[in-house]
Amino acid sequence: MGLWWKRGLAVLLAVLGVQVGWVVVPAYACGCGAMVPDAQREISVSREASVLRWDGREEQIEMRLTVQGDTDRAAWIMPVPHRASVDLGDPALFDQLDAATAPAHRTRYHFWPQDGDWPLSTGNDTAGAAPDAGAGPSRVGVVDRQRLGPFDVARLTATDPGALDNWLRTDGFAFPRRLSHALQPYVDRHWEYVAVKLAPQAAGASLNGALDPIHLTFAADEPVYPMRLSRLARTPQSLGLYILAAHRMEPRSAIGGEPPRAVFAGRLTTTTGPLARLASGTPYLTAVAQEFPQPSRISADHVLRRAASDTPYQQVIYQDRLLEVAGMPAWLATIGGSLVLVGAVATLIAVRRSRRPVVPPPPVPPPAPIG
């Protein structure tokens, strides 16, 4: 009894420790930037959907983030290679993208029963489908400040990793040391930043669900999707990236995640709505999906290149169904019919044999007399 009590106490303390850790340790992550919550609160980006348009000189990124947490305020930071303009996006764009890249649904039939078909049913109906910024003054240049709906947007320049520290702290956001370290490669390359403070529309509500899209435009010699800050994520991340260009595109490498996979490739036929406007001059759409089970392994940004060919591709989702004839499984009808046919043939042969006249055996001659 004493051993059981000690083990139970240890488990209880461990659970309490994990829960306390969740409360006091903020989570900040974004597949394309960094999300920083209010002090002593938590927020994480569970999914992002982004469309990147590149025409050879200018890049546009429109993104919609889905967040989870208990904070009513957060700040979001995204590095960009050149000075960016920022606008609100159109949520209808992602509805059109979902429709344009939707997989085809087809039915394929199988003759012999599989798991789930009678008599092989199992009863399971589920289908598988680093350095501290310090307390000294930080050198930050505010290029522009604007209000976009619920977003307070600032375009910043920075000469050291701690350049965003003061901007965040003035409104109550703690600057994580890990974020300061992760920004160093962008500082070395003289990138700028788009920093956004956001809050939910309803007063007192927490930031949960899909946020309003943000649209960025900046000069770019090659298409790049900033991903390096995603290494700060504490939970696995997923990326859904739509690419609009003159040809089919692909990431140059996996940058530490699972191999990127194309889920759609083809020329758009959409002629109306925000997708048609954005795709003007860049009619080829490529949709890429990627998973990051261990975000800490992310080592670079996604640089995109033209694929070897413009071969179109569309996912196909098959629904497997047992082939039936007149409501009966075809295999059962076939076997049953075969058995009936064999039985009928056997019966016919037996009947015919029973109707044949019996031929008497030839007479046996008497034995010769004994002489």
Side-chain angles (χ1 to χ4, degrees):
M1 187 69 174
L3 180 59
W4 177 90
W5 183 85
K6 291 180 180 179
R7 289 180 177 176
L9 180 60
V11 171
L12 177 60
L13 291 175
V15 171
L16 288 175
V18 171
Q19 291 179 340
V20 170
W22 285 344
V23 171
V24 301
V25 179
Y28 45 93
C30 174
C32 54
M35 188 74 72
V36 182
D38 196 357
Q40 303 302 317
R41 296 296 183 94
E42 181 178 338
I43 191 170
S44 63
V45 178
S46 58
R47 194 180 190 284
E48 63 175 283
S50 300
V51 54
L52 183 156
R53 180 190 183 275
W54 185 67
D55 61 7
R57 295 169 299 178
E58 183 183 78
E59 180 173 331
Q60 298 181 49
I61 295 179
E62 187 159 329
M63 64 192 66
R64 181 173 61 183
L65 306 177
T66 300
V67 301
Q68 295 176 342
D70 60 1
T71 184
D72 60 353
R73 297 186 309 156
W76 171 74
I77 306 165
M78 181 174 180
V80 288
H82 297 283
R83 187 151 300 173
S85 61
V86 186
D87 297 288
L88 285 178
D90 189 339
L93 172 64
F94 295 94
D95 296 333
Q96 286 192 289
L97 286 167
D98 290 341
T101 60
H105 292 265
R106 298 174 185 170
T107 301
R108 57 185 177 187
Y109 295 91
H110 50 272
F111 181 80
W112 294 110
Q114 299 178 358
D115 187 21
D117 299 324
W118 181 88
L120 303 180
S121 176
T122 61
N124 182 9
D125 296 330
T126 302
D132 192 353
S138 59
R139 291 164 290 175
V140 57
V142 179
V143 176
D144 182 63
R145 193 84 177 255
Q146 62 185 129
R147 185 76 182 183
L148 296 173
F151 303 136
D152 178 10
V153 181
R155 292 179 294 162
L156 310 173
T157 60
T159 56
D160 63 76
L164 298 176
D165 189 8
N166 285 345
W167 186 85
L168 289 170
R169 290 182 185 276
T170 54
D171 207 14
F173 296 99
F175 189 78
R177 293 185 180 183
R178 295 172 64 231
L179 177 57
S180 176
H181 179 71
L183 288 172
Q184 185 64 54
Y186 297 113
V187 173
D188 295 341
R189 290 184 290 171
H190 305 289
W191 281 35
E192 296 188 4
Y193 309 93
V194 173
V196 181
K197 294 174 184 175
L198 56 128
Q201 296 281 11
S206 59
L207 287 168
N208 273 294
L211 304 179
D212 291 338
I214 290 286
H215 189 110
L216 295 87
T217 304
F218 51 87
D221 297 329
E222 60 181 357
V224 57
Y225 190 68
M227 287 287 300
R228 192 185 300 268
L229 296 186
S230 300
R231 64 184 294 112
L232 303 179
R234 301 183 187 277
T235 58
Q237 302 286 288
S238 63
L239 170 67
L241 179 61
Y242 302 98
I243 307 163
L244 288 169
H247 301 278
R248 179 172 173 171
M249 305 293 284
E250 64 183 8
R252 287 184 180 176
S253 69
I255 65 170
E258 298 290 341
R261 61 191 188 281
V263 296
F264 179 85
R267 295 192 177 275
L268 285 174
T269 58
T270 306
T271 58
T272 59
L275 179 56
R277 293 191 295 269
L278 184 62
S280 178
T282 54
Y284 203 100
L285 174 62
T286 310
V288 176
Q290 188 178 15
E291 304 299 325
F292 296 91
Q294 295 179 281
S296 60
R297 294 186 176 181
I298 296 176
S299 57
D301 299 319
H302 260 321
V303 178
L304 306 173
R305 65 186 179 189
R306 180 178 175 179
S309 68
D310 287 345
T311 304
Y313 172 77
Q314 184 181 25
Q315 282 185 308
V316 177
I317 297 178
Y318 288 99
Q319 180 182 11
D320 291 313
R321 298 186 62 181
L322 185 65
L323 185 63
E324 295 182 347
V325 177
M328 178 182 295
W331 68 270
L332 184 59
T334 301
I335 294 177
S338 300
L339 292 176
V340 170
L341 180 61
V342 170
V345 171
T347 301
L348 180 61
I349 293 174
V351 170
R352 286 184 176 180
R353 285 182 177 179
S354 67
R355 292 180 178 179
R356 290 179 182 175
V358 178
V359 179
V364 179
I370 299 174

